[in-house]
Amino acid sequence: RKEVEQDPGPFNVPEGATVAFNCTYSNSASQSFFWYRQDCRKEPKLLMSVYSSGNEDGRFTAQLNRASQYISLLIRDSKLSDSATYLCVVRRGSTLGRLYFGRGTQLTVWP
Amino acid sequence: SAVISQKPSRDICQRGTSLTIQCQVDSQVTMMFWYRQQPGQSLTLIATANQGSEATYESGFVIDKFPISRPNLTFSTLTVSNMSPEDSSIYLCSGSGTVELNTEAFFGQGTRLTVV
């Protein structure tokens, strides 16, 4: 079983839509959780960390369910510029330890 | 925020040759990692680059094929040795553990390698 599993996508949504991505992780010892964004032919960049209580950053809301080992990302009022691949990322143990990446979910927002 | 400059950004190489990829960070980082990403796939960790000692390799990756150096806290290199077409991929370096960014992991721009 893979360390991190994500919705395969792709997701194609109109501008203004709300879209949700899901992710599960296999190791209950995982301590830190992130969503990264990767544009085509670019490096991944941190979108947001995911905290146990859930957190919001503008149009983006992340949720963590430790009991179910489940992470989600909600994007409201989608913009064309949100088109990218979204990577679910998990860190096990040490705060500076290695990261485990999901395969990524591709989002295309159309006008 | 910290920045990693990765070179080269792309290269086309003959099979049997070697390519060295460099990453320079503009501030000291505790950890540096090397990843490989096939088209449409997730990032796969090759190794953790340890400052002043041998890198720690993941299963399926060996030092003879992917020698890594990390002479200080701001610089690392990855060499892809005796290349074959199967080594064609994007290679990414990553750093984490800076004073400013704490534990956030950030990446170099990637090296797109094609072996012919």
Side-chain angles (χ1 to χ4, degrees):
Chain A
R1 184 182 173 189
K2 290 185 178 178
E3 190 86 16
V4 181
E5 299 266 16
Q6 278 188 254
D7 277 350
F11 287 70
N12 299 299
V13 303
E15 270 189 296
T18 296
V19 61
F21 304 142
N22 302 316
C23 165
T24 57
Y25 59 95
S26 62
N27 195 306
S28 60
S30 299
Q31 295 292 326
S32 306
F33 310 90
F34 311 91
W35 285 100
Y36 274 73
R37 170 189 169 132
Q38 187 172 26
D39 292 291
C40 186
R41 295 178 175 264
K42 299 287 188 181
E43 73 274 22
K45 293 185 178 178
L46 179 67
L47 177 65
M48 60 195 302
S49 300
V50 186
Y51 303 116
S52 297
S53 55
N55 48 297
E56 187 174 304
D57 183 2
R59 299 180 293 107
F60 299 85
T61 301
Q63 297 279 350
L64 169 65
N65 184 321
R66 285 188 182 271
S68 302
Q69 296 180 194
Y70 172 95
I71 307 162
S72 66
L73 176 69
L74 182 76
I75 305 176
R76 293 181 300 277
D77 189 22
S78 298
K79 310 293 185 189
L80 296 177
S81 57
D82 293 334
S83 298
T85 296
Y86 291 82
L87 304 170
C88 178
V89 183
V90 170
R91 174 181 276 143
R92 197 196 302 172
S94 163
T95 55
L96 294 179
R98 63 160 293 178
L99 299 174
Y100 294 85
F101 288 80
R103 183 176 172 176
T105 302
Q106 186 178 346
L107 171 67
T108 300
V109 181
W110 46 273
Chain B
S1 60
V3 174
I4 300 181
S5 298
Q6 184 172 343
K7 294 189 292 188
S9 58
R10 60 176 63 233
D11 209 339
I12 301 173
C13 300
Q14 296 289 327
R15 68 175 66 202
T17 63
S18 298
L19 175 72
T20 295
I21 303 168
Q22 298 182 1
C23 278
Q24 178 72 57
V25 193
D26 64 354
S27 60
Q28 292 185 341
V29 290
T30 305
M31 306 293 290
M32 290 189 76
F33 303 92
W34 286 95
Y35 292 87
R36 184 168 72 181
Q37 186 176 30
Q38 305 281 9
Q41 300 296 318
S42 178
L43 278 73
T44 299
L45 182 65
I46 297 172
T48 302
N50 299 311
Q51 192 263 326
S53 64
E54 190 172 289
T56 304
Y57 290 84
E58 296 298 306
S59 175
F61 298 97
V62 296
I63 188 172
D64 290 345
K65 176 67 175 177
F66 297 102
I68 288 170
S69 77
R70 191 173 175 203
N72 55 54
L73 293 177
T74 65
F75 186 78
S76 181
T77 68
L78 167 76
T79 299
V80 186
S81 302
N82 188 25
M83 288 183 284
S84 66
E86 291 71 36
D87 295 321
S88 297
S89 188
I90 298 170
Y91 293 84
L92 291 149
C93 63
S94 171
S96 63
T98 67
V99 173
E100 295 81 12
L101 293 175
N102 197 7
T103 62
E104 175 188 337
F106 52 99
F107 291 82
Q109 300 89 341
T111 297
R112 186 175 296 271
L113 171 63
T114 302
V115 183
V116 297

